[in-house]
Amino acid sequence: MLDKLMTSVSTKSTILHGVPADKIAEYSKRNDFDAIVMGNRGLGFIKCLILKSVSRKVNKLTNCVFVTVK
């Protein structure tokens, strides 16, 4: 079952320069992404407010399916 699913999923790697969340959101909109999967450091609420989570900002800026993985 998993083999069948993996053959139908396409991925792409790209290097962008600039503010990470803004560039990821811009790139995903320009290329009509179906989903975005990002890692999350799990800093907690207070540290996240201070350090500004990239994954949280990307989630707010995009309209596609968004998944965070710890």
Side-chain angles (χ1 to χ4, degrees), residues 2-54:
L2 185 59
D3 292 339
K4 223 181 233 188
L5 177 65
M6 293 308 291
T7 58
S8 65
V9 174
S10 64
T11 62
K12 182 178 182 179
S13 296
T14 304
I15 297 174
L16 304 171
H17 299 278
V19 178
D22 295 339
K23 289 296 180 177
I24 293 168
E26 176 187 312
Y27 187 80
S28 69
K29 289 176 184 176
R30 191 177 32 201
N31 291 282
D32 198 28
F33 280 18
D34 295 324
I36 297 174
V37 179
M38 290 183 70
N40 183 327
R41 293 183 292 178
L43 295 175
F45 183 72
I46 300 299
K47 285 185 181 177
C48 188
L49 285 176
I50 295 167
L51 298 175
K52 308 291 183 195
S53 168
V54 172

